[in-house]
Amino acid sequence: MISLEWVKDYIDISDQDLKELAVKITKAGINVEKVITNHIDHLTIGEIVECAPHPDSDHLNLCQVRINDKEIKQIVCGAPNVRKGLKVIVALPGAHLPGDFEIKVSKIRGIESNGMICALYELGLEEKTEEAYNRGIHELDDDAPVGEDPLSYLGLDNTLYELDIHKHRNNDCYYHIGFAYEIGAILNRKVT
């Protein structure tokens, strides 16, 4: 396994789509068997600015969630720990969560919901246990920057390449620095 976060210490690949880069690497002769990523598009850090009981439910809440400097979204949430002032992970419409679950604008008991406030297990970042379920949504620190990528903030936005390395070839790709040199050769970039 090669961590691209570690490879970034040696070569700038910030402008590269990491799945397309895997294809380029495979075409150059190093077989990338699998791309493993925690990245999910349409996730953001939000702050709950209002939280009130849903008028047609005994366990749901209507939350007004600030998702950037200019936008507040209404989201229906049933987590036991949801409350005003909390910084949270928000999946906005268009997000594809594990289990082929797409977030869409929907109505929950007659009230429009424009996203989902998430627990880590809903993002595939921890096992769904009874304890994790009872804990509810993931609470971020007070200093979490609203509007930023929550996985980057948590240090969980990493991509790994699983390589199929033949024992007589590409031995330098067992190490991150050697793999960085391979990428450098493919992209015609300097390794530092």
Side-chain angles (χ1 to χ4, degrees), residues 8 11-21 24 161 183 187-189:
K8 288 176 186 176
I11 186 169
D12 180 18
I13 54 172
S14 59
D15 63 335
Q16 296 292 308
D17 177 296
L18 299 181
K19 289 182 180 178
E20 289 178 17
L21 180 59
K24 291 177 187 175
Y161 286 170
I183 293 174
L187 298 177
N188 195 26
R189 293 190 180 169

Side-chain angles (χ1 to χ4, degrees), residues 53-72:
H54 189 295
D56 191 26
S57 173
D58 61 352
H59 71 282
L60 295 175
N61 291 287
L62 295 178
C63 300
Q64 300 299 321
V65 183
R66 184 171 62 93
I67 60 166
N68 59 40
D69 291 339
K70 299 174 183 167
E71 240 180 317
I72 293 178

Side-chain angles (χ1 to χ4, degrees), residues 12-183:
D12 180 18
I13 54 172
S14 59
D15 63 335
Q16 296 292 308
D17 177 296
L18 299 181
K19 289 182 180 178
E20 289 178 17
L21 180 59
V23 172
K24 291 177 187 175
I25 293 167
T26 299
K27 286 181 179 178
I30 300 165
N31 193 18
V32 178
E33 286 281 310
K34 193 179 207 181
V35 178
I36 303 164
T37 184
N38 290 333
H39 180 78
I40 300 172
D41 288 329
H42 306 289
L43 286 186
T44 191
I45 295 173
E47 180 179 15
I48 301 172
V49 293
E50 287 181 37
C51 185
H54 189 295
D56 191 26
S57 173
D58 61 352
H59 71 282
L60 295 175
N61 291 287
L62 295 178
C63 300
Q64 300 299 321
V65 183
R66 184 171 62 93
I67 60 166
N68 59 40
D69 291 339
K70 299 174 183 167
E71 240 180 317
I72 293 178
K73 298 277 189 182
Q74 178 173 279
I75 300 175
V76 176
C77 182
N81 61 327
V82 68
R83 64 189 178 277
K84 181 180 177 179
L86 198 60
K87 298 252 180 116
V88 293
I89 300 171
V90 178
L92 297 169
H96 290 271
L97 303 185
D100 199 28
F101 182 63
E102 182 181 355
I103 302 299
K104 299 177 182 176
V105 175
S106 61
K107 285 197 174 194
I108 300 175
R109 295 207 179 175
I111 302 290
E112 187 173 286
S113 184
N114 297 288
M116 180 174 142
I117 301 172
C118 301
L120 292 181
Y121 68 83
E122 292 168 319
L123 302 173
L125 299 173
E126 78 177 2
E127 189 176 340
K128 184 178 180 181
T129 63
E130 186 175 340
E131 178 186 345
Y133 181 80
N134 291 335
R135 194 168 43 241
I137 56 175
H138 186 69
E139 300 182 22
L140 297 171
D141 294 334
D142 291 337
D143 67 347
V146 171
E148 297 294 317
D149 184 317
L151 299 181
S152 293
Y153 170 76
L154 293 169
L156 299 173
D157 191 16
N158 191 7
T159 299
L160 302 173
Y161 286 170
E162 186 176 306
L163 304 178
D164 177 22
I165 301 174
H166 189 276
K167 64 182 179 180
H168 297 298
R169 288 192 51 205
N170 304 321
N171 287 337
D172 54 339
C173 289
Y174 286 118
Y175 308 99
H176 287 86
I177 184 73
F179 194 73
Y181 276 106
E182 289 290 332
I183 293 174

